[in-house]
Amino acid sequence: GKASDDSDLWFNFGLIDKAPIFDQVIQDWDAKMSTDPQNEKFVAFEFGINSRSNDGTMAAKFNLYSTSWNDRIATRTVDNIDGDEDIIYLSGINQNHTGIEFEFSAQINEMFRVDLGAGLGNWIYTDDATGTYRDSDGTDATYSYALKDLKVGDMPQANLSIAVTASPVEDSKIQLLYRYYALHYSDWSPTSREFSGSSNPDRAQSWKSPKYGILDLNASYKIPFEYNGVKPELFFNVRNLLDAVYIQDATDNSRFNAEPFRVNSHTANAAEVYLGLPTSFNLGLKLNF
């Protein structure tokens, strides 16, 4: 709805009840089923405001979001005493994703434009979980998993982007884009946090990879030529212009690359990292019609 002549307010709300896929409740090799599998539930809320200046040279967007993902299902394969494989079915894996996002753009003059975007999230597991396992003789066992207050991994929870675009001649654009990422917790599995009643649960956060920033260059030029409605356009892109060395992804407590004395330490020495691409570029011709 309209808040004023130049501002809009909006609100989204959603409820989703998702049935688990077959692989999460039925073992392929013997058709053994999970006991009373629960549907996964999503509750999403989002509120925002869009605003612009009277002359249309500036615009801004701001929004708040909160999404709960409850009763998420996960499985873990184990070897039983007969040498066969069985599955532990985890239930009660609950996540909450909350955060804020902001965008701003300004057309300074006919030649220069500035764009800004930022986001800050807090994505956590809200509860511990339990796993049930029925062995080959029909005996049930329960396992506990320490997940409460741990950060969701495999995605930066803070980001910033700044772009400056120049148009030195008609139908041309040259843009410098800076992208910054932080609060990136390495990927990990809820099944790795299993504990028994007699042991101390591992509640340490997964390893947080270093924050990093990347500068890109993007340029294009619409050639002043047209044939049967087809207009050619040249483009040139350079990714990671300054050849920064950065960690794009990481796996916590890697089974393959952790130093033996660092296993389960949630440190850089126990992580498997994936470096981002060095400087690369592409040059091409695009046909618009």
Side-chain angles (χ1 to χ4, degrees):
K2 277 192 170 295
S4 67
D5 290 340
D6 300 312
S7 299
D8 300 314
L9 294 173
W10 55 270
F11 171 79
N12 289 327
F13 178 76
L15 293 172
I16 299 175
D17 198 47
K18 174 182 173 292
I21 62 176
F22 282 166
D23 286 346
Q24 293 174 324
V25 294
I26 301 177
Q27 293 180 172
D28 294 338
W29 51 92
D30 61 4
K32 187 180 294 183
M33 294 184 61
S34 171
T35 302
D36 189 26
Q38 301 294 313
N39 283 1
E40 298 183 6
K41 302 173 183 64
F42 300 85
V43 181
F45 162 85
E46 194 171 12
F47 167 80
I49 181 171
N50 302 331
S51 184
R52 55 205 162 273
S53 62
N54 292 329
D55 59 2
T57 59
M58 293 188 294
K61 298 180 180 179
F62 176 80
N63 72 285
L64 303 168
Y65 66 87
S66 178
T67 301
S68 296
W69 183 3
N70 296 327
D71 294 325
R72 177 185 167 193
I73 294 175
T75 58
R76 176 187 174 190
T77 303
V78 295
D79 294 324
N80 61 32
I81 58 176
D82 298 324
D84 298 324
E85 288 186 332
D86 285 309
I87 291 180
I88 296 177
Y89 298 95
L90 276 68
S91 60
I93 302 178
N94 300 328
Q95 294 181 10
N96 183 256
H97 295 225
T98 60
I100 57 175
E101 296 174 331
F102 174 75
E103 296 179 28
F104 173 78
S105 61
Q107 188 71 45
I108 307 301
N109 51 41
E110 291 185 357
M111 183 178 293
F112 292 102
R113 173 189 171 99
V114 175
D115 293 273
L116 171 68
L120 178 62
N122 182 33
W123 309 339
I124 62 171
Y125 289 83
T126 59
D127 302 284
D128 288 345
T130 58
T132 58
Y133 166 60
R134 177 172 295 177
D135 61 23
S136 55
D137 62 5
T139 303
D140 288 333
T142 300
Y143 297 81
S144 299
Y145 296 84
L147 307 179
K148 183 176 174 58
D149 296 331
L150 294 182
K151 299 285 188 177
V152 175
D154 202 29
M155 183 68 67
Q157 299 192 22
N159 62 82
L160 172 70
S161 65
I162 303 173
V164 178
T165 306
S167 301
V169 296
E170 186 177 358
D171 292 330
S172 70
K173 290 183 180 179
I174 301 174
Q175 181 190 74
L176 284 174
L177 171 63
Y178 179 75
R179 297 176 287 129
Y180 175 83
Y181 302 95
L183 301 181
H184 190 174
Y185 293 87
S186 53
D187 191 22
W188 61 280
S189 170
T191 60
S192 66
R193 300 304 180 106
E194 181 181 308
F195 72 98
S196 64
S198 59
S199 63
N200 292 324
D202 178 7
R203 297 189 180 277
Q205 298 289 351
S206 66
W207 179 64
K208 184 169 63 175
S209 60
K211 53 195 174 184
Y212 64 91
I214 306 169
L215 185 65
D216 297 333
L217 171 67
N218 304 300
S220 65
Y221 176 62
K222 294 180 179 179
I223 300 173
F225 173 79
E226 181 178 349
Y227 180 75
N228 287 340
V230 179
K231 301 178 181 179
E233 180 180 351
L234 285 171
F235 63 86
F236 177 62
N237 303 305
V238 182
R239 299 289 180 257
N240 194 4
L241 181 65
L242 301 181
D243 202 23
V245 178
Y246 62 96
I247 295 174
Q248 181 173 288
D249 286 299
T251 299
D252 191 48
N253 289 335
S254 170
R255 293 185 301 164
F256 308 104
N257 292 313
E259 295 182 2
F261 57 91
R262 298 288 188 178
V263 174
N264 294 328
S265 64
H266 308 294
T267 63
N269 299 64
E272 181 176 352
V273 302
Y274 306 87
L275 297 181
L277 292 175
T279 299
S280 61
F281 66 90
N282 63 345
L283 174 65
L285 175 66
K286 181 168 61 176
L287 300 179
N288 301 308
F289 54 87

